[in-house]
Amino acid sequence: MPLYEFRCENSHLHELMMPLAAADRSAVCPECGSAASRLISSPALGHLGSPRARLIDRAESSAQAPTVVDQVPGTGPSRPAHTTHDPRHVRLPRP
Ligand SMILES: [Zn+2]
């Protein structure tokens, strides 16, 4: 989802993330409540694929379509096999 910059009549700058399909070019300023118009600026293409951009994309997709799990991660058949053969390790406390 792209990030848009807005400036109100009192020159307050703020940013909003909204879908591309949202053709609305105005918003309400969070500081003074007056109408704010969208600024035209160059896209931040340098951030594509960055860890921050991936985190934002993952958070958005998780909010819209969260992954449903039926068991606690790390348990069940996908748990890794034992890597030690020392019988004393069996008596160690488990998480
Ligand atoms: Zn304002």
Side-chain angles (χ1 to χ4, degrees):
M1 201 177 305
L3 182 68
Y4 295 103
E5 286 182 305
F6 288 87
R7 178 179 291 151
C8 76
E9 300 163 350
N10 298 320
S11 298
H12 296 132
L13 288 173
H14 69 280
E15 297 177 334
L16 281 177
M17 292 186 89
M18 58 176 49
L20 272 175
D24 188 14
R25 290 184 169 255
S26 64
V28 176
C29 176
E31 292 187 41
C32 64
S34 64
S37 58
R38 197 169 83 187
L39 301 177
I40 304 298
S41 59
S42 62
L45 297 177
H47 296 291
L48 292 176
S50 69
R52 180 176 182 265
R54 280 185 274 140
L55 177 65
I56 291 171
D57 288 343
R58 185 172 176 172
E60 287 178 5
S61 65
S62 176
Q64 296 170 1
T67 303
V68 178
V69 297
D70 58 355
Q71 65 183 8
V72 177
T75 61
S78 62
R79 191 172 189 159
H82 293 287
T83 56
T84 177
H85 299 288
D86 190 334
R88 295 175 296 175
H89 292 170
V90 174
R91 291 180 290 178
L92 290 174
R94 300 286 176 214

